[in-house]
């Protein structure tokens, strides 16, 4: 079937030709002719990447009466990013449809321009539920004339707690309308919505919704749980051109992994629900423009990311629901590109791997975590390729005679060795004697956890080691249990030391306490600045750690005092729970305390040299203990 056979009007056809769409995708082949000919409701099981926006967007656009300057279609979706994406897609479909207006309404942005746009006679509204309700309550948005309701990513809207909001909005719409529900999965709650609000809906499902994209390879690495991060680093190191998403399960883990990657000099950042809208936009903007190679994300935050060129999706931790794995992996291998979905699994996840294989009807391929030699070879060749492809800048010509004189005693081979070593020695020493991270364990079979338990002991031992040369290792009485994360700790250090930009080295966040290292010169700054300060309502106790023994977590109160300085932490809970728009997709929820700490941690990170090149990476990493 071609687009010209679908029955869409000429203006729409012209616009999609401009977009380079040649043939309708399977979901479009089913939905477009059906929606053009029928007025009954429709349920479509489709994931992002299947062309679902055009599947509902084109027929809705075709049916809009442009002369009627009032909202005739409302498209509801879970996040601001998706909302903007849909509105952008609809704008391009409507490029030649004169007089048609589309308005995107979402939280975390000023409401006034949205009200203005609605008043100007818009026919299609794309919105997130919270903001739509705000606008209804302000009487700026009237749904009495709605003829089409689209619920996009219905499952995700319900996951995000928009159930009541959806009920409220749907109750505002007229009984006579066409409701289109698009969802990747069909959990009970989505069934309920369809039962309550839809009439004899036709269901379409393209291919098998769980199989995932065909041009995605599925790989897994088997390591001890404690080695996940090390394995992630190696995976990134053997894929120097990676452009991908690392999926974590929680916001905390997302922030922690992104922090570690940044501290280790990778071109990475995080996106999760705790960031303010402005921060999320900033990160997303950089990722879209490929200024950022690695995005560490939660599933919800990654919704609406519509990038066709991702090379990798990495499951740092597997989701509970296998369908979520299918979603994640479907973010790569799009638009004819090849992609790789990677699972960093541990030895007790064998059964889980088997169940994923069953769902995707494909085999997961066991890959070996590369060893130091393999990584060095790949990185070295990348360096050499870069040297070869670098354009020579002839401004240097005038220096050549004196350079030649200085290098005269070296023959070609020695010269190469010197140049490569100057760039590469840190990398080589990082991976020198790097241990094998692979563990045995097979799909369908969960190894008992002896390895891991043993691992944990080893982990502890590692964490109690001596500080890096020239560094002092400090004990601090705050750990994971108190919500302390690496970025919080860097922020706290920054603030307590009046932003002297102390280059923070290795950080180990434990359950009840943590360790961090800074160059010896800053020892007194740390002690005088941090002792008796306050974080998140906890008095801070910092002491020089007596390696190799673990500093016992005696809790606060060493040097009397109390009532020390507070660095915004105490406010965090308050501002998180109060205020803010009701729209989970929007910002306005970010707390002053946490975001200011985040900003300061970012600047501290950057001050310690964040660069995508391995040289930059190792300039940063040189400041901390290197052990892999
Ligand atoms: P969606 O599932 O709506 O997020 O669409 C995924 C991607 O496929 C977007 O980049 C669309 O622009 C693109 N797309 C949608 N329909 C077609 C088509 N028929 N031919 C080529 N690309 C398409």
């Amino acid at each position: 079937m071609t687009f010209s056979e679908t029955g869409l009007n000429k203006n729409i056809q012209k616009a999609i030709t401009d977009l380079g769409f040649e043939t309708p995708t399977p979901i479009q082949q089913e939905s477009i002719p059906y929606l053009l000919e029928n007025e009954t409701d429709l349920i479509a099981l489709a994931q992002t990447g299947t062309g679902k926006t055009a599947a509902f967007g084109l027929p809705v656009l075709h049916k809009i009466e442009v002369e009627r300057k009032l909202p005739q279609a409302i498209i509801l979706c879970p996040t601001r990013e998706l909302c903007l994406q849909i509105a952008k897609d609809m704008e391009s479909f409507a490029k030649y449809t004169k007089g048609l207006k589309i308005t995107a309404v979402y939280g975390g942005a000023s409401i006034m321009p949205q009200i203005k746009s609605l008043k100007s006679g818009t026919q299609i509204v794309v919105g997130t539920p919270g903001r739509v309700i705000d606008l209804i309550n302000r009487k700026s948005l009237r749904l009495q004339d709605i003829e089409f309701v689209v619920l996009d990513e219905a499952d995700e809207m319900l996951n995000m707690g928009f159930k009541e909001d959806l009920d409220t909005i749907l109750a505002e719409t007229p009984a006579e309308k066409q409701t289109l529900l698009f969802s990747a999965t069909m959990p009970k709650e989505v069934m309920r919505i369809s039962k309550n609000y839809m009439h004899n809906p036709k269901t379409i499902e393209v291919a098998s919704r769980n199989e995932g994209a065909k041009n995605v390879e599925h790989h897994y690495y088997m390591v001890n749980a404690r080695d996940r991060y090390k394995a992630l680093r190696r995976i990134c190191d053997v894929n120097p051109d990676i452009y991908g998403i690392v999926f974590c399960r929680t916001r905390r883990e997302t922030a922690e992994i992104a922090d570690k990657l940044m501290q280790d000099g990778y071109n990475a950042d995080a996106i999760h629900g705790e960031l303010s809208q402005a921060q999320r936009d900033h990160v997303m903007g950089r990722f879209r423009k490929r200024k950022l190679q690695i995005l560490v994300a939660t599933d919800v935050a990654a919704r609406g990311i519509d990038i066709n060129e991702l090379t990798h999706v990495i499951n740092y931790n597997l989701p509970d629901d296998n369908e979520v794995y299918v979603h994640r992996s479907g973010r790569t291998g799009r638009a004819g590109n090849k992609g790789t979905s990677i699972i960093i699994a541990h030895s007790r996840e064998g059964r889980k791997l088997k169940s994923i294989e069953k769902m995707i009807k494909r085999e997961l391929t066991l890959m070996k975590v590369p060893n130091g030699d393999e990584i060095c070879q790949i990185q070295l060749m990348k360096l050499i390729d870069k040297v070869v492809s670098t354009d020579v800048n002839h401004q240097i010509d005038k220096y050549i005679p004196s350079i030649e004189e200085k290098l005269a005693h070296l023959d070609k081979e020695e010269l190469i060795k010197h140049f490569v070593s100057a760039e590469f020695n840190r990398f080589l020493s990082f991976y020198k004697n790097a241990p094998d991270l692979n563990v045995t364990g097979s799909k369908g079979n969960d190894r008992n956890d002896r390895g891991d338990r043993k691992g944990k002991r080893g982990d502890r031992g590692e964490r109690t080691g001596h500080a890096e040369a020239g560094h002092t290792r400090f004990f601090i009485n705050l750990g994971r249990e108190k919500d302390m994360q690496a970025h919080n700790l860097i922020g706290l250090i920054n603030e307590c030391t009046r932003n002297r930009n102390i280059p923070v080295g290795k950080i180990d966040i434990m359950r009840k306490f943590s360790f961090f290292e800074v160059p010896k010169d800053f020892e007194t700054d740390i002690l005088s600045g941090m002792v008796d300060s306050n974080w998140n309502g906890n008095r801070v106790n910092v002491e020089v750690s007596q390696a190799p023994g673990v500093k016992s977590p005696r809790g606060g109160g060493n040097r009397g005092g109390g009532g020390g300085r507070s660095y915004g932490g105490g406010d965090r809970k308050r501002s998180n729970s109060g205020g803010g728009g009701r729209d989970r997709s929007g910002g306005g929820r970010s707390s002053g305390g946490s975001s200011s700490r985040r900003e300061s941690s970012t600047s501290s990170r950057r001050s310690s040299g964040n660069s995508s090149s391995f040289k930059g990476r190792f300039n940063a990493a040189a400041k901390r203990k290197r052990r892999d």
Side-chain angles (χ1 to χ4, degrees):
M1 176 189 274
T2 62
F3 276 111
S4 54
E5 289 163 345
T6 56
L8 288 166
N9 72 45
K10 290 272 175 286
N11 287 332
I12 298 177
Q13 289 201 30
K14 205 165 149 206
I16 50 185
T17 308
D18 284 4
L19 287 171
F21 294 7
E22 283 170 6
T23 40
T25 64
I27 188 99
Q28 292 163 2
Q29 296 203 10
E30 294 227 31
S31 74
I32 298 172
Y34 178 80
L35 290 173
L36 291 183
E37 278 167 26
N38 294 280
E39 294 191 345
T40 39
D41 295 343
L42 177 84
I43 295 176
L45 289 162
Q47 301 169 10
T48 307
T50 52
K52 67 184 170 69
T53 314
F56 62 74
L58 298 175
V60 164
L61 185 59
H62 177 98
K63 288 177 149 184
I64 292 286
E65 292 168 42
V66 180
E67 325 64 59
R68 292 175 68 212
K69 307 283 179 202
L70 34 82
Q72 295 165 49
I74 181 154
I75 302 167
L76 296 167
C77 60
T79 65
R80 169 191 156 118
E81 283 80 13
L82 188 58
C83 176
L84 287 167
Q85 185 64 45
I86 296 171
K88 195 174 123 230
D89 287 352
M90 295 297 288
E91 297 272 4
S92 41
F93 303 152
K95 188 172 164 190
Y96 299 106
T97 308
K98 293 262 165 338
L100 189 109
K101 277 208 70 178
I102 296 150
T103 299
V105 299
Y106 45 84
S110 167
I111 203 164
M112 290 321 289
Q114 297 176 359
I115 293 177
K116 205 169 153 208
S117 174
L118 289 171
K119 278 194 178 141
S120 69
T122 200
Q123 295 97 341
I124 300 179
V125 178
V126 187
T128 51
R131 180 55 62 97
V132 166
I133 289 188
D134 281 351
L135 288 160
I136 293 173
N137 290 341
R138 286 169 184 248
K139 308 219 179 317
S140 301
L141 174 60
R142 289 176 209 283
L143 302 182
Q144 291 87 321
D145 295 291
I146 287 293
E147 298 196 1
F148 309 97
V149 172
V150 180
L151 303 171
D152 191 21
E153 306 216 346
D155 50 352
E156 205 50 45
M157 284 198 278
L158 295 168
N159 277 345
M160 289 174 73
F162 285 133
K163 176 173 166 284
E164 284 168 17
D165 290 354
L166 289 181
D167 286 338
T168 309
I169 297 168
L170 288 167
E172 289 284 319
T173 58
E176 282 286 304
K177 62 178 181 293
Q178 194 169 19
T179 304
L180 319 177
L181 183 148
F182 281 70
S183 191
T185 58
M186 241 346 198
K188 266 199 212 115
E189 271 305 307
V190 180
M191 293 294 284
R192 184 193 68 86
I193 291 260
S194 69
K195 283 218 173 76
N196 289 353
Y197 296 103
M198 299 176 81
H199 308 288
N200 299 326
K202 174 186 164 72
T203 301
I204 55 176
E205 181 177 354
V206 280
S208 167
R209 65 192 156 106
N210 291 327
E211 282 178 35
K214 292 278 177 272
N215 39 353
V216 176
E217 286 194 27
H218 298 263
H219 295 168
Y220 74 100
Y221 295 83
M222 193 68 105
V223 299
N224 277 322
R226 69 182 165 112
D227 286 334
R228 265 183 220 281
Y229 178 70
K230 290 173 187 170
L232 174 65
R233 283 193 64 170
R234 293 194 192 183
I235 292 165
C236 294
D237 282 341
V238 280
N239 293 289
D241 296 320
I242 186 170
Y243 177 44
I245 306 179
V246 175
F247 281 101
C248 294
R249 282 163 68 113
T250 61
R251 293 170 181 185
R252 181 188 292 187
E253 187 179 64
T254 305
E256 209 173 292
I257 299 308
D259 269 346
K260 278 183 168 177
L261 285 172
M262 282 188 269
Q263 285 183 47
D264 288 325
Y266 292 84
N267 186 9
D269 213 333
I271 183 163
H272 54 77
E274 244 172 49
L275 299 179
S276 71
Q277 193 59 56
Q279 285 170 316
R280 279 203 274 172
D281 287 349
H282 180 67
V283 174
M284 275 313 302
R286 287 173 57 224
F287 190 53
R288 277 210 178 89
K289 289 182 199 140
R290 295 190 83 146
K291 291 198 169 136
L292 198 64
Q293 273 185 280
I294 303 166
L295 185 70
V296 189
T298 54
D299 291 292
V300 169
R303 283 268 161 173
I305 296 178
D306 183 35
I307 298 174
N308 290 335
E309 298 83 26
L310 296 185
T311 59
H312 290 78
V313 159
I314 300 180
N315 294 267
Y316 188 78
N317 256 311
L318 278 172
D320 289 331
D321 181 352
N322 288 348
E323 281 193 25
V324 175
Y325 172 81
V326 180
H327 262 286
R328 289 180 177 183
S329 55
R331 302 203 159 268
T332 182
R334 288 191 178 183
N337 297 317
K338 288 219 175 310
T340 310
S341 170
I342 289 175
I343 298 170
I344 305 179
H346 67 75
S347 45
R348 278 171 289 145
E349 289 180 311
R351 268 194 218 118
K352 178 92 182 154
L353 296 176
K354 203 74 200 159
S355 69
I356 289 176
E357 279 188 335
K358 249 194 193 158
M359 176 171 266
I360 61 172
K361 302 195 179 78
R362 306 265 300 276
E363 203 175 327
L364 301 172
T365 314
L366 174 64
M367 305 297 285
K368 285 260 164 228
V369 182
N371 62 31
D373 274 349
E374 288 158 343
I375 295 169
C376 286
Q377 173 157 7
I378 286 173
Q379 289 280 353
L380 189 52
M381 286 310 128
K382 185 172 161 69
L383 168 66
I384 301 303
D385 287 343
K386 192 177 148 202
V387 170
V388 173
S389 63
T390 297
D391 288 331
V392 171
N393 183 334
H394 290 286
Q395 272 171 282
I396 62 167
D397 289 354
K398 58 177 181 277
Y399 308 112
I400 296 293
S402 34
I403 295 174
E404 273 181 350
E405 199 181 314
K406 270 190 180 278
L407 300 176
H409 64 290
L410 298 172
D411 63 22
K412 184 179 168 187
E413 195 181 322
E414 284 169 329
L415 196 60
I416 293 173
K417 282 184 186 166
H418 275 264
F419 269 96
V420 170
S421 300
E423 278 279 327
F424 212 63
N425 270 358
R426 285 177 195 281
F427 206 92
L428 289 171
S429 56
F430 179 78
Y431 276 117
K432 190 175 170 200
N433 302 328
D436 182 7
L437 299 184
N438 297 289
V439 295
T440 48
S442 58
K443 284 178 288 188
N445 221 336
D446 293 356
R447 222 181 61 156
N448 74 29
D449 63 347
R450 272 188 63 214
D452 274 357
R453 270 195 259 124
K454 207 169 114 226
K456 277 193 185 110
R457 277 200 296 276
D459 211 18
R460 258 184 127 213
E462 188 178 283
R463 283 171 174 156
T464 58
H466 295 271
E468 187 184 356
H471 282 63
T472 302
R473 186 170 174 80
F474 288 92
F475 157 87
I476 178 167
N477 63 319
L478 300 168
R480 273 197 302 277
E481 221 173 56
K482 298 277 185 211
D483 282 343
M484 176 58 83
Q485 298 175 37
H487 68 273
N488 302 131
L489 186 51
I490 295 173
L492 178 66
I493 295 168
N494 252 343
E495 289 178 71
C496 289
T497 55
R498 295 191 191 85
N499 290 314
R500 287 197 57 201
N501 274 343
I502 297 181
V504 183
K506 190 167 171 27
I507 293 177
D508 289 315
I509 306 282
M510 323 287 272
R511 195 160 61 88
K512 287 179 176 291
F513 50 93
S514 307
F515 295 97
F516 62 92
E517 295 177 15
V518 300
K520 276 200 170 10
D521 293 351
F522 296 103
E523 198 174 298
T524 13
D525 296 82
I526 294 288
L527 289 173
S528 60
M530 292 185 78
V531 168
D532 287 345
S533 60
N534 192 298
W535 185 78
N536 231 7
N538 303 288
R539 191 168 54 202
V540 174
N541 173 26
V542 170
E543 295 173 26
V544 173
S545 167
Q546 308 299 324
V550 184
K551 186 78 213 166
S552 84
R554 275 179 285 131
N558 63 333
R559 280 149 209 154
R565 283 143 296 162
S566 170
Y567 294 99
D571 294 341
R572 191 171 64 153
K573 285 203 179 87
R574 241 178 294 134
S575 51
N576 263 356
S577 57
R582 55 204 309 264
D583 203 330
R584 290 140 197 91
S585 65
R589 290 207 146 217
S590 152
S591 70
S594 64
S595 67
S596 67
R597 271 200 306 283
R598 194 173 295 115
E599 293 299 350
S600 61
S601 74
T602 305
S603 60
S604 136
R605 268 185 242 119
R606 307 242 150 92
S607 74
S608 30
N610 185 12
S611 156
S612 62
S613 73
F614 66 78
K615 193 172 173 201
R617 176 140 87 240
F618 283 89
N619 281 341
K623 292 177 185 130
R624 72 188 54 87
K625 196 160 193 153
R626 249 171 262 106
R627 212 186 276 117
D628 193 359

